Amino acid sequence: MANIYDSAYDLEKAIRESDEFKGLKQAYDKVMADESAKKMFDDFRTTQMQLQEKQMQGQEITEEEVEKAKGVVELVQQHPDISKLMEEEQRLNVVINDVSKIITKPLEELYGNPDQQQ
Amino acid sequence: MANIYDSAYDLEKAIRESDEFKGLKQAYDKVMADESAKKMFDDFRTTQMQLQEKQMQGQEITEEEVEKAKGVVELVQQHPDISKLMEEEQRLNVVINDVSKIITKPLEELYGNPDQQQ
Ligand SMILES: [Ca+2]
Ligand SMILES: [Ca+2]
């Protein structure tokens, strides 16, 4: 019987060595190496997080903030290196979501279907 | 190089076969097999989720609700099978949190320390 921690470290290694992760790292490093791209990406992230935080706290988001966010998104989408980075993030996200579904299956089976126990 | 999905399924199997998961399943099945324990546990869960939802939506939690929640917690803590179940949940939670930290390490390293890149 494999140990949980051994298996988790194997999975971490598999993620680190995957094409998806390597592609993301490459795209990320490219953006970070370009001062103006880095600033644009950081602005985008900051704007995103500020809006998310407001939403979670149930605060009102002003029309001005919506306009600003739209502008920042449009800007980053037109930057080839940043849009590549966002594409790679999306690609790895799909895999990570799949992994999360796979490893939470035992718990989901236990708690999700109380009428279907053996 | 191990495939991410193969490694994820190996990890799922390791979780399913672990003492922690088996202990949780045994404790859960014991509570579910006892009609009054099951009802008490379901009430506890429902109360917990309702309060969490209210909190997340920034709604006010009344004094009456706090008192009711306290009462439900006291009740379940005094039930040996339910407190055993909660203990087993806590035990597996620790492992799952560790697993989550291990497998998100590559992403955390990439995004967490932009000044420490190779
Ligand atoms: Ca079940
Ligand atoms: Ca880094």
Side-chain angles (χ1 to χ4, degrees):
Chain A
M1 186 180 89
N3 178 283
I4 292 181
Y5 288 88
D6 288 344
S7 301
Y9 282 112
D10 285 347
L11 176 55
E12 190 238 331
K13 192 161 178 282
I15 292 170
R16 202 182 283 277
E17 290 174 354
S18 68
D19 289 342
E20 287 84 354
F21 183 73
K22 285 179 184 166
L24 171 61
K25 179 161 173 38
Q26 206 169 7
Y28 181 81
D29 287 348
K30 193 168 184 187
V31 168
M32 289 301 122
D34 177 337
E35 201 58 46
S36 80
K38 181 185 183 307
K39 196 191 168 312
M40 204 183 278
F41 184 67
D42 286 346
D43 283 352
F44 167 65
R45 271 290 144 84
T46 307
T47 308
Q48 265 192 326
M49 281 193 293
Q50 280 170 349
L51 287 188
Q52 263 176 25
E53 207 169 308
K54 278 204 156 188
Q55 244 172 349
M56 284 198 312
Q57 292 175 346
Q59 286 177 40
E60 203 194 343
I61 293 165
T62 66
E63 210 174 308
E64 200 191 330
E65 284 171 321
V66 174
E67 286 308 314
K68 194 199 157 198
K70 275 187 193 165
V72 175
V73 170
E74 268 172 41
L75 210 63
V76 296
Q77 280 174 341
Q78 281 161 21
H79 194 295
D81 292 346
I82 301 179
S83 57
K84 171 74 175 162
L85 171 54
M86 288 161 73
E87 215 174 86
E88 294 291 340
E89 284 180 339
Q90 187 47 40
R91 204 173 148 221
L92 186 63
N93 264 344
V94 170
V95 178
I96 298 289
N97 282 340
D98 285 348
V99 164
S100 172
K101 273 183 212 148
I102 291 166
I103 68 177
T104 55
K105 210 157 180 270
L107 272 172
E108 201 188 275
E109 278 175 23
L110 187 64
Y111 282 91
N113 307 303
D115 299 332
Q116 290 174 22
Q117 291 175 70
Q118 292 103 316
Chain B
M1 187 180 88
N3 178 284
I4 292 181
Y5 289 88
D6 289 344
S7 300
Y9 284 112
D10 285 347
L11 175 54
E12 191 239 331
K13 192 160 178 282
I15 291 171
R16 204 182 282 279
E17 290 174 353
S18 67
D19 290 341
E20 287 84 355
F21 183 74
K22 285 180 184 166
L24 172 61
K25 177 157 173 43
Q26 204 169 8
Y28 181 82
D29 288 348
K30 194 167 184 189
V31 168
M32 289 302 122
D34 176 338
E35 201 57 47
S36 79
K38 181 185 184 308
K39 196 190 168 312
M40 206 183 276
F41 184 67
D42 287 345
D43 282 352
F44 167 64
R45 271 290 144 85
T46 306
T47 308
Q48 263 192 328
M49 282 192 293
Q50 280 169 348
L51 288 188
Q52 261 176 26
E53 208 169 307
K54 278 205 155 186
Q55 245 173 348
M56 284 196 314
Q57 292 174 348
Q59 286 177 41
E60 202 194 345
I61 293 165
T62 66
E63 209 174 311
E64 200 190 331
E65 284 172 321
V66 173
E67 287 307 315
K68 193 199 157 201
K70 274 188 194 166
V72 176
V73 170
E74 268 171 42
L75 211 63
V76 296
Q77 279 175 341
Q78 282 161 21
H79 194 296
D81 292 346
I82 301 180
S83 58
K84 170 74 175 162
L85 171 54
M86 289 163 71
E87 214 175 89
E88 293 290 339
E89 285 180 338
Q90 187 47 39
R91 205 174 146 220
L92 187 62
N93 264 343
V94 169
V95 177
I96 297 290
N97 282 339
D98 285 348
V99 165
S100 172
K101 273 182 213 152
I102 290 167
I103 68 177
T104 56
K105 211 157 179 270
L107 273 172
E108 202 189 276
E109 278 176 20
L110 188 62
Y111 283 90
N113 306 303
D115 298 332
Q116 291 174 22
Q117 292 175 70
Q118 293 103 317

